[in-house]
Coordinates of all heavy atoms in Angstrom, one line a residue:
M999 N 0.9 -1.2 0.0 CA 0.0 0.0 0.0 C 0.9 1.2 0.0 O 1.7 1.4 0.9 CB -0.9 0.0 1.2 CG -1.8 1.1 1.3 SD -2.9 0.9 2.8 CE -4.4 1.3 2.0
S1000 N 0.8 2.1 -1.0 CA 1.6 3.3 -1.1 C 0.7 4.5 -1.3 O -0.4 4.4 -1.8 CB 2.6 3.1 -2.2 OG 1.9 3.0 -3.5
L1001 N 1.3 5.6 -1.0 CA 0.5 6.9 -1.2 C 0.8 7.4 -2.6 O 1.9 7.5 -3.1 CB 1.0 7.9 -0.2 CG 0.7 7.7 1.2 CD1 1.3 8.7 2.1 CD2 -0.8 7.6 1.5
G1002 N -0.3 7.8 -3.3 CA -0.2 8.4 -4.6 C -0.2 9.9 -4.5 O -0.3 10.5 -3.4
I1003 N -0.1 10.6 -5.6 CA -0.1 12.0 -5.6 C -1.4 12.6 -5.0 O -1.4 13.6 -4.3 CB 0.1 12.5 -7.1 CG1 1.4 12.0 -7.6 CG2 0.0 14.0 -7.2 CD1 2.5 13.0 -7.8
P1004 N -2.6 12.1 -5.4 CA -3.8 12.7 -4.8 C -3.9 12.5 -3.3 O -4.3 13.5 -2.6 CB -4.9 11.8 -5.4 CG -4.4 11.2 -6.6 CD -2.9 11.1 -6.4
E1005 N -3.4 11.4 -2.7 CA -3.4 11.3 -1.3 C -2.5 12.2 -0.6 O -2.8 12.8 0.4 CB -3.1 9.8 -0.9 CG -4.1 8.8 -1.2 CD -4.0 8.2 -2.7 OE1 -3.0 8.6 -3.4 OE2 -4.8 7.5 -3.1
I1006 N -1.3 12.4 -1.2 CA -0.3 13.4 -0.6 C -0.9 14.8 -0.7 O -0.7 15.5 0.3 CB 1.0 13.2 -1.4 CG1 1.7 11.9 -1.1 CG2 2.0 14.4 -1.0 CD1 2.9 11.6 -1.9
L1007 N -1.5 15.2 -1.7 CA -2.1 16.5 -1.8 C -3.2 16.7 -0.8 O -3.3 17.8 -0.2 CB -2.6 16.7 -3.2 CG -1.6 16.9 -4.3 CD1 -2.3 17.0 -5.7 CD2 -0.7 18.1 -4.1
I1008 N -4.0 15.7 -0.6 CA -5.1 15.8 0.4 C -4.5 16.0 1.8 O -4.9 16.8 2.6 CB -6.0 14.6 0.4 CG1 -6.8 14.6 -0.9 CG2 -6.9 14.5 1.6 CD1 -7.6 13.4 -1.2
I1009 N -3.4 15.2 2.1 CA -2.8 15.3 3.4 C -2.1 16.7 3.6 O -2.3 17.3 4.6 CB -1.7 14.2 3.6 CG1 -2.4 12.8 3.7 CG2 -0.8 14.4 4.8 CD1 -1.5 11.6 3.6
A1010 N -1.5 17.2 2.6 CA -0.8 18.5 2.6 C -1.9 19.6 2.8 O -1.7 20.6 3.6 CB 0.0 18.8 1.3
L1011 N -3.0 19.5 2.1 CA -4.1 20.5 2.3 C -4.7 20.4 3.7 O -4.9 21.5 4.3 CB -5.2 20.2 1.3 CG -6.4 21.2 1.3 CD1 -5.9 22.6 0.9 CD2 -7.5 20.7 0.3
A1012 N -4.8 19.3 4.3 CA -5.4 19.1 5.6 C -4.4 19.7 6.6 O -4.8 20.4 7.5 CB -5.6 17.7 5.9
V1013 N -3.1 19.5 6.5 CA -2.1 20.1 7.3 C -2.1 21.6 7.2 O -2.0 22.3 8.2 CB -0.7 19.5 7.0 CG1 0.4 20.3 7.7 CG2 -0.6 18.0 7.4
L1014 N -2.2 22.1 6.0 CA -2.2 23.5 5.8 C -3.4 24.2 6.5 O -3.3 25.2 7.1 CB -2.2 23.9 4.3 CG -2.2 25.3 3.9 CD1 -0.9 26.0 4.4 CD2 -2.3 25.5 2.4
L1015 N -4.6 23.5 6.4 CA -5.8 24.0 7.0 C -5.7 24.0 8.5 O -6.2 24.9 9.2 CB -7.0 23.3 6.5 CG -7.4 23.6 5.0 CD1 -8.6 22.6 4.6 CD2 -7.8 25.0 4.8
L1016 N -5.2 22.9 9.0 CA -5.1 22.7 10.5 C -4.1 23.7 11.2 O -4.4 24.2 12.2 CB -4.7 21.3 10.8 CG -5.8 20.2 10.7 CD1 -5.2 18.8 10.9 CD2 -7.0 20.4 11.6
F1017 N -3.0 23.8 10.6 CA -1.9 24.6 11.3 C -1.7 26.0 10.7 O -1.1 26.8 11.4 CB -0.6 23.8 11.2 CG -0.7 22.5 11.9 CD1 -0.7 21.3 11.2 CD2 -0.7 22.4 13.3 CE1 -0.8 20.1 11.9 CE2 -0.8 21.2 14.0 CZ -0.8 20.0 13.3
G1018 N -2.0 26.2 9.5 CA -1.8 27.5 8.9 C -0.4 27.7 8.3 O 0.5 27.0 8.7
P1019 N -0.3 28.6 7.4 CA 1.0 28.8 6.7 C 2.1 29.3 7.6 O 3.3 29.0 7.3 CB 0.7 29.8 5.6 CG -0.5 30.5 6.0 CD -1.3 29.5 6.9
K1020 N 1.8 30.0 8.7 CA 2.9 30.5 9.6 C 3.4 29.4 10.5 O 4.6 29.4 10.9 CB 2.3 31.6 10.4 CG 2.1 32.9 9.6 CD 1.6 34.0 10.5 CE 1.3 35.2 9.6 NZ 0.8 36.3 10.4
K1021 N 2.6 28.4 10.9 CA 3.0 27.4 11.8 C 3.8 26.2 11.2 O 4.6 25.6 11.9 CB 1.8 26.9 12.5 CG 2.0 26.1 13.8 CD 2.4 27.0 14.9 CE 2.3 26.3 16.2 NZ 2.8 27.0 17.3
I1022 N 3.6 26.0 9.9 CA 4.2 24.9 9.2 C 5.7 24.9 9.3 O 6.4 23.9 9.5 CB 3.7 24.7 7.8 CG1 2.2 24.3 7.9 CG2 4.5 23.7 7.0 CD1 1.5 24.2 6.5
P1023 N 6.4 26.1 9.0 CA 7.9 26.1 9.1 C 8.4 25.8 10.5 O 9.4 25.1 10.7 CB 8.3 27.5 8.7 CG 7.1 28.0 7.9 CD 5.9 27.3 8.4
E1024 N 7.7 26.2 11.5 CA 8.0 25.9 12.9 C 7.9 24.4 13.2 O 8.8 23.8 13.8 CB 7.2 26.7 13.9 CG 7.4 28.2 13.9 CD 6.4 28.9 14.7 OE1 5.9 28.3 15.7 OE2 6.2 30.1 14.5
I1025 N 6.9 23.8 12.7 CA 6.7 22.3 12.9 C 7.8 21.6 12.1 O 8.3 20.6 12.7 CB 5.3 21.9 12.4 CG1 4.2 22.5 13.3 CG2 5.2 20.4 12.3 CD1 2.8 22.3 12.8
A1026 N 8.1 22.0 10.9 CA 9.2 21.3 10.2 C 10.5 21.5 10.9 O 11.3 20.5 10.9 CB 9.3 21.9 8.7
K1027 N 10.8 22.6 11.5 CA 12.0 22.8 12.2 C 12.1 21.9 13.4 O 13.1 21.3 13.7 CB 12.1 24.3 12.6 CG 13.4 24.7 13.2 CD 13.4 26.2 13.4 CE 14.7 26.7 13.9 NZ 14.7 28.2 14.1
Q1028 N 11.0 21.8 14.1 CA 11.0 20.9 15.3 C 11.1 19.4 14.9 O 11.8 18.7 15.6 CB 9.7 21.1 16.0 CG 9.6 22.4 16.8 CD 8.2 22.6 17.4 OE1 7.3 21.8 17.2 NE2 8.1 23.7 18.2
L1029 N 10.5 19.1 13.8 CA 10.7 17.7 13.3 C 12.2 17.4 12.9 O 12.7 16.3 13.2 CB 9.8 17.4 12.1 CG 8.3 17.2 12.4 CD1 7.5 17.2 11.1 CD2 8.1 16.0 13.2
G1030 N 12.8 18.4 12.3 CA 14.2 18.3 12.0 C 15.1 18.1 13.2 O 16.0 17.3 13.3
R1031 N 14.8 18.9 14.3 CA 15.5 18.8 15.5 C 15.3 17.4 16.2 O 16.2 16.8 16.7 CB 15.1 19.8 16.5 CG 15.7 21.2 16.2 CD 15.3 22.2 17.3 NE 15.6 23.5 16.9 CZ 14.9 24.6 17.3 NH1 13.9 24.5 18.1 NH2 15.2 25.8 16.9
C1032 N 14.1 16.9 16.1 CA 13.8 15.6 16.7 C 14.5 14.5 15.9 O 15.0 13.6 16.6 CB 12.3 15.4 16.7 SG 11.3 16.3 17.8
S1033 N 14.5 14.7 14.6 CA 15.3 13.7 13.8 C 16.7 13.7 14.2 O 17.4 12.6 14.3 CB 15.0 14.0 12.3 OG 15.8 13.2 11.5
Y1034 N 17.3 14.9 14.3 CA 18.7 15.0 14.7 C 19.0 14.4 16.0 O 20.0 13.6 16.2 CB 19.2 16.4 14.6 CG 20.6 16.7 15.2 CD1 21.7 16.3 14.4 CD2 20.8 17.2 16.4 CE1 23.0 16.5 14.9 CE2 22.0 17.4 16.9 CZ 23.1 17.0 16.2 OH 24.4 17.2 16.7
E1035 N 18.2 14.7 17.0 CA 18.4 14.1 18.4 C 18.2 12.6 18.4 O 19.0 11.9 19.1 CB 17.4 14.8 19.4 CG 17.7 16.2 19.6 CD 19.0 16.5 20.4 OE1 19.4 15.6 21.2 OE2 19.6 17.5 20.1
F1036 N 17.3 12.1 17.6 CA 17.1 10.7 17.6 C 18.3 10.0 17.0 O 18.8 9.0 17.5 CB 15.8 10.3 16.7 CG 15.6 8.9 16.6 CD1 15.0 8.2 17.6 CD2 15.9 8.2 15.4 CE1 14.8 6.8 17.5 CE2 15.7 6.8 15.3 CZ 15.1 6.1 16.4
K1037 N 18.8 10.6 15.9 CA 20.0 10.0 15.2 C 21.2 10.0 16.2 O 22.0 9.1 16.3 CB 20.3 10.8 14.0 CG 21.5 10.3 13.2 CD 21.7 11.1 11.9 CE 22.9 10.6 11.1 NZ 23.1 11.4 9.9
K1038 N 21.4 11.2 16.9 CA 22.5 11.3 17.8 C 22.4 10.3 19.0 O 23.4 9.6 19.3 CB 22.5 12.7 18.4 CG 23.8 13.1 19.1 CD 23.9 14.6 19.4 CE 23.3 14.9 20.7 NZ 23.5 16.3 21.1
A1039 N 21.2 10.1 19.5 CA 21.0 9.1 20.6 C 21.3 7.7 20.1 O 21.9 6.9 20.8 CB 19.6 9.2 21.1
K1040 N 20.8 7.4 18.9 CA 21.1 6.1 18.3 C 22.6 5.8 18.1 O 23.0 4.7 18.5 CB 20.4 6.0 16.9 CG 20.6 4.7 16.2 CD 19.9 4.8 14.8 CE 20.5 3.7 13.9 NZ 20.3 4.0 12.5
E1041 N 23.3 6.8 17.7 CA 24.8 6.6 17.5 C 25.4 6.4 18.8 O 26.3 5.6 19.0 CB 25.4 7.8 16.8 CG 25.0 7.9 15.3 CD 25.4 9.1 14.6 OE1 25.9 10.1 15.3 OE2 25.2 9.2 13.4
N1042 N 25.0 7.2 19.9 CA 25.6 7.0 21.2 C 25.3 5.6 21.8 O 26.2 5.0 22.4 CB 25.0 8.1 22.2 CG 25.6 9.4 21.9 OD1 26.6 9.6 21.3 ND2 24.9 10.5 22.4
L1043 N 24.1 5.1 21.6 CA 23.8 3.8 22.1 C 24.6 2.7 21.3 O 25.0 1.8 21.9 CB 22.3 3.5 21.9 CG 21.3 4.2 22.9 CD1 19.9 4.0 22.5 CD2 21.6 3.7 24.3
E1044 N 24.8 2.9 20.0 CA 25.5 1.9 19.2 C 27.0 1.9 19.7 O 27.6 0.8 19.9 CB 25.5 2.2 17.8 CG 24.1 1.9 17.1 CD 24.0 2.3 15.7 OE1 24.9 3.1 15.2 OE2 23.1 1.9 15.0
S1045 N 27.6 3.1 19.9 CA 29.0 3.1 20.4 C 29.1 2.6 21.8 O 30.1 1.9 22.1 CB 29.5 4.6 20.3 OG 28.9 5.4 21.2
E1046 N 28.1 2.8 22.6 CA 28.2 2.3 24.0 C 28.1 0.7 24.0 O 28.8 0.0 24.7 CB 27.1 2.9 24.8 CG 27.2 2.7 26.3 CD 26.2 3.5 27.1 OE1 25.9 4.6 26.7 OE2 25.7 2.9 28.1
A1047 N 27.2 0.3 23.1 CA 27.0 -1.2 23.0 C 28.3 -1.8 22.4 O 28.7 -2.9 22.9 CB 25.9 -1.5 22.0
E1048 N 29.0 -1.2 21.5 CA 30.2 -1.7 21.0 C 31.3 -1.7 22.1 O 32.1 -2.7 22.2 CB 30.7 -0.9 19.8 CG 29.9 -1.1 18.5 CD 30.4 -0.2 17.4 OE1 31.5 0.5 17.5 OE2 29.7 -0.1 16.4
S1049 N 31.4 -0.7 22.9 CA 32.4 -0.7 23.9 C 32.1 -1.8 25.0 O 33.0 -2.4 25.5 CB 32.5 0.7 24.6 OG 31.3 1.0 25.3
I1050 N 30.9 -1.9 25.3 CA 30.5 -3.0 26.3 C 30.8 -4.4 25.7 O 31.4 -5.2 26.4 CB 29.0 -2.9 26.7 CG1 28.8 -1.6 27.5 CG2 28.5 -4.1 27.4 CD1 27.3 -1.3 27.8
T1051 N 30.6 -4.6 24.4 CA 30.9 -5.8 23.8 C 32.4 -6.1 23.8 O 32.8 -7.2 24.1 CB 30.3 -5.8 22.3 OG1 28.9 -5.6 22.4 CG2 30.6 -7.2 21.7
S1052 N 33.2 -5.1 23.5 CA 34.6 -5.3 23.5 C 35.1 -5.6 25.0 O 36.0 -6.4 25.1 CB 35.3 -4.1 23.0 OG 35.2 -3.0 23.8
V1053 N 34.5 -5.0 26.0 CA 35.0 -5.2 27.3 C 34.6 -6.7 27.7 O 35.4 -7.4 28.3 CB 34.3 -4.2 28.3 CG1 34.4 -4.7 29.8 CG2 34.9 -2.8 28.1
V1054 N 33.4 -7.1 27.3 CA 33.0 -8.5 27.6 C 33.9 -9.5 26.9 O 34.3 -10.5 27.5 CB 31.5 -8.7 27.2 CG1 31.2 -10.2 27.3 CG2 30.6 -7.9 28.1
K1055 N 34.3 -9.2 25.7 CA 35.2 -10.1 24.9 C 36.5 -10.2 25.6 O 37.1 -11.3 25.7 CB 35.3 -9.7 23.5 CG 34.1 -10.0 22.7 CD 34.2 -9.6 21.2 CE 33.0 -9.9 20.4 NZ 33.1 -9.5 19.0
D1056 N 37.0 -9.0 26.0 CA 38.3 -9.0 26.7 C 38.3 -9.8 28.0 O 39.2 -10.5 28.3 CB 38.8 -7.6 27.0 CG 39.2 -6.8 25.7 OD1 39.4 -7.5 24.7 OD2 39.2 -5.6 25.8
A1057 N 37.2 -9.6 28.7 CA 37.0 -10.4 30.0 C 37.0 -11.9 29.7 O 37.5 -12.7 30.5 CB 35.8 -9.9 30.7
E1058 N 36.3 -12.3 28.7 CA 36.2 -13.7 28.3 C 37.6 -14.2 28.0 O 37.9 -15.4 28.3 CB 35.3 -13.9 27.2 CG 33.8 -13.7 27.5 CD 32.9 -13.8 26.3 OE1 33.3 -13.8 25.2 OE2 31.7 -13.8 26.6
K1059 N 38.4 -13.5 27.3 CA 39.8 -13.9 26.9 C 40.6 -14.1 28.2 O 41.3 -15.1 28.3 CB 40.5 -12.9 26.0 CG 39.9 -12.9 24.6 CD 40.7 -11.8 23.8 CE 40.1 -11.7 22.4 NZ 40.7 -10.6 21.6
V1060 N 40.5 -13.2 29.1 CA 41.2 -13.3 30.4 C 40.8 -14.5 31.1 O 41.6 -15.3 31.7 CB 41.1 -12.0 31.2 CG1 41.6 -12.2 32.6 CG2 41.7 -10.8 30.6
E1061 N 39.5 -14.8 31.2 CA 39.0 -15.9 31.9 C 39.4 -17.2 31.3 O 39.8 -18.2 31.9 CB 37.5 -15.9 32.0 CG 36.9 -14.8 32.9 CD 37.3 -15.1 34.4 OE1 37.3 -16.2 34.8 OE2 37.7 -14.1 35.0
R1062 N 39.4 -17.2 29.9 CA 39.9 -18.4 29.2 C 41.4 -18.7 29.5 O 41.8 -19.8 29.7 CB 39.7 -18.2 27.7 CG 38.8 -19.3 27.1 CD 38.7 -19.2 25.6 NE 37.6 -18.2 25.3 CZ 37.6 -17.2 24.6 NH1 38.7 -16.9 23.9 NH2 36.6 -16.4 24.4
A1063 N 42.2 -17.6 29.5 CA 43.6 -17.7 29.7 C 43.8 -18.2 31.1 O 44.7 -19.1 31.4 CB 44.3 -16.4 29.5
K1064 N 43.1 -17.8 32.1 CA 43.2 -18.2 33.5 C 42.8 -19.7 33.6 O 43.5 -20.5 34.3 CB 42.4 -17.4 34.4 CG 42.9 -16.0 34.7 CD 42.0 -15.3 35.7 CE 42.6 -13.9 36.0 NZ 41.7 -13.2 36.9
A1065 N 41.8 -20.1 32.9 CA 41.4 -21.5 32.9 C 42.4 -22.4 32.3 O 42.6 -23.5 32.7 CB 40.0 -21.6 32.2
E1066 N 43.1 -21.9 31.3 CA 44.1 -22.7 30.7 C 45.5 -22.7 31.4 O 46.4 -23.4 31.1 CB 44.4 -22.3 29.2 CG 43.1 -22.5 28.3 CD 43.3 -21.9 27.0 OE1 44.3 -21.2 26.7 OE2 42.4 -22.1 26.1
G1067 N 45.6 -21.8 32.4 CA 46.8 -21.7 33.2 C 47.8 -20.8 32.6 O 48.9 -20.8 33.1
K1068 N 47.5 -20.1 31.6 CA 48.4 -19.1 31.0 C 48.3 -17.8 31.7 O 47.2 -17.4 32.2 CB 48.1 -19.0 29.6 CG 48.3 -20.2 28.7 CD 47.9 -19.9 27.3 CE 48.0 -21.2 26.5 NZ 47.6 -21.0 25.1
S1069 N 49.4 -17.1 31.8 CA 49.3 -15.7 32.3 C 49.1 -14.7 31.2 O 49.6 -14.9 30.1 CB 50.6 -15.4 33.1 OG 51.7 -15.4 32.2
T1070 N 48.4 -13.7 31.5 CA 48.1 -12.7 30.4 C 49.1 -11.6 30.6 O 49.8 -11.5 31.6 CB 46.7 -12.1 30.6 OG1 46.6 -11.5 31.9 CG2 45.6 -13.2 30.4
E1071 N 49.2 -10.7 29.7 CA 50.1 -9.6 29.7 C 49.8 -8.7 30.9 O 50.7 -8.1 31.5 CB 50.0 -8.8 28.4 CG 50.6 -9.5 27.2 CD 50.4 -8.7 26.0 OE1 50.3 -7.4 26.1 OE2 50.5 -9.2 24.9
E1072 N 48.5 -8.6 31.2 CA 48.1 -7.7 32.3 C 48.6 -8.3 33.7 O 48.8 -7.6 34.6 CB 46.6 -7.5 32.3 CG 46.1 -6.8 31.1 CD 44.6 -7.0 30.9 OE1 44.0 -7.7 31.7 OE2 44.1 -6.3 30.0
E1073 N 48.7 -9.6 33.8 CA 49.1 -10.2 35.0 C 50.6 -10.2 35.2 O 51.1 -10.4 36.4 CB 48.6 -11.7 35.1 CG 47.1 -11.7 35.1 CD 46.6 -13.1 35.0 OE1 47.3 -14.0 34.5 OE2 45.4 -13.4 35.4
K1074 N 51.4 -10.1 34.2 CA 52.9 -10.2 34.3 C 53.4 -8.9 34.9 O 52.9 -7.8 34.6 CB 53.5 -10.3 32.9 CG 53.2 -11.6 32.2 CD 53.9 -11.7 30.9 CE 53.6 -13.0 30.2 NZ 54.2 -13.0 28.8
E1075 N 54.3 -9.0 35.8 CA 55.0 -7.8 36.4 C 56.1 -7.4 35.5 O 56.8 -8.2 34.9 CB 55.5 -8.2 37.8 CG 54.5 -8.5 38.8 CD 55.1 -8.7 40.1 OE1 56.1 -8.1 40.4 OE2 54.5 -9.5 40.9
P1076 N 56.2 -6.1 35.3 CA 57.3 -5.6 34.5 C 58.6 -5.9 35.1 O 58.8 -5.9 36.3 CB 57.0 -4.1 34.4 CG 56.2 -3.8 35.6 CD 55.4 -5.0 35.9
A1077 N 59.6 -6.2 34.3 CA 60.9 -6.5 34.7 C 61.6 -5.2 35.3 O 61.5 -4.1 34.8 CB 61.8 -7.0 33.6
K1078 N 62.2 -5.4 36.5 CA 62.8 -4.3 37.2 C 64.2 -4.0 36.5 O 64.9 -4.9 36.2 CB 63.1 -4.6 38.6 CG 61.8 -4.7 39.4 CD 62.1 -5.0 40.9 CE 60.8 -5.2 41.6 NZ 61.0 -5.5 43.0
P1079 N 64.4 -2.7 36.2 CA 65.7 -2.4 35.6 C 66.9 -2.6 36.5 O 66.8 -2.5 37.7 CB 65.6 -0.9 35.3 CG 64.5 -0.4 36.2 CD 63.6 -1.5 36.5
K1080 N 68.0 -3.1 35.9 CA 69.2 -3.4 36.7 C 69.8 -2.1 37.1 O 69.9 -1.2 36.3 CB 70.1 -4.3 36.0 CG 69.5 -5.7 35.7 CD 70.5 -6.5 35.0 CE 69.9 -7.9 34.7 NZ 70.8 -8.8 34.0
R1081 N 70.3 -2.0 38.3 CA 70.9 -0.8 38.8 C 72.4 -1.0 38.6 O 73.0 -2.0 38.9 CB 70.6 -0.6 40.2 CG 69.1 -0.3 40.4 CD 68.8 0.1 41.8 NE 69.5 1.3 42.1 CZ 69.0 2.2 43.0 NH1 67.9 1.9 43.7 NH2 69.7 3.3 43.2
D1082 N 73.1 0.1 38.3 CA 74.5 0.1 38.1 C 75.1 0.6 39.4 O 74.8 1.7 39.9 CB 74.9 1.1 37.0 CG 76.4 1.0 36.7 OD1 77.1 0.2 37.2 OD2 76.8 1.8 35.8
P1083 N 75.9 -0.2 40.1 CA 76.5 0.2 41.4 C 77.4 1.5 41.3 O 77.5 2.2 42.2 CB 77.3 -1.0 41.8 CG 77.1 -2.1 40.8 CD 76.3 -1.5 39.7
A1084 N 77.9 1.7 40.1 CA 78.8 2.9 40.0 C 77.9 4.2 40.1 O 78.4 5.2 40.5 CB 79.5 2.9 38.7
I1085 N 76.7 4.1 39.7 CA 75.8 5.3 39.7 C 75.4 5.6 41.1 O 75.2 6.7 41.5 CB 74.6 5.1 38.8 CG1 75.1 5.0 37.3 CG2 73.6 6.3 38.9 CD1 74.0 4.7 36.4
D1086 N 75.2 4.5 42.0 CA 74.7 4.7 43.3 C 75.7 5.5 44.2 O 75.3 6.1 45.2 CB 74.4 3.3 43.9 CG 73.2 2.7 43.3 OD1 72.4 3.4 42.7 OD2 73.1 1.4 43.4
N1087 N 77.0 5.4 43.9 CA 77.9 6.1 44.8 C 78.1 7.5 44.4 O 78.0 8.3 43.8 CB 79.3 5.4 44.7 CG 79.2 4.0 45.3 OD1 78.4 3.8 46.2 ND2 80.0 3.1 44.8

C-alpha cells in the first residue's frame, strides 16, 4: 500500500488548513531537531554497545587464559631495571 499524488495532496491540504502557513515552518524545524536528536542518541547507544561488547570479549579472553593456566600480559609484572652500582655512589 503506497501513497499516490492525490493522497499526498489531500494530506498537505489538511495540514495547511489545520496549522496555517505560519506554523508549518516551525513544525518542520521541530521535526528536523527531533530527527537529529534521535540520530545522535542512536549513535551514542551503538557506540556504547560496541564498547560494552569489547569489554566483555576481553574479559572472556582473560577468563579463558586463566582457565588454561596461562598468564596474560596484564598479570605479568614488568621487569625491574638493573641498577649500576657505579651510579649509586
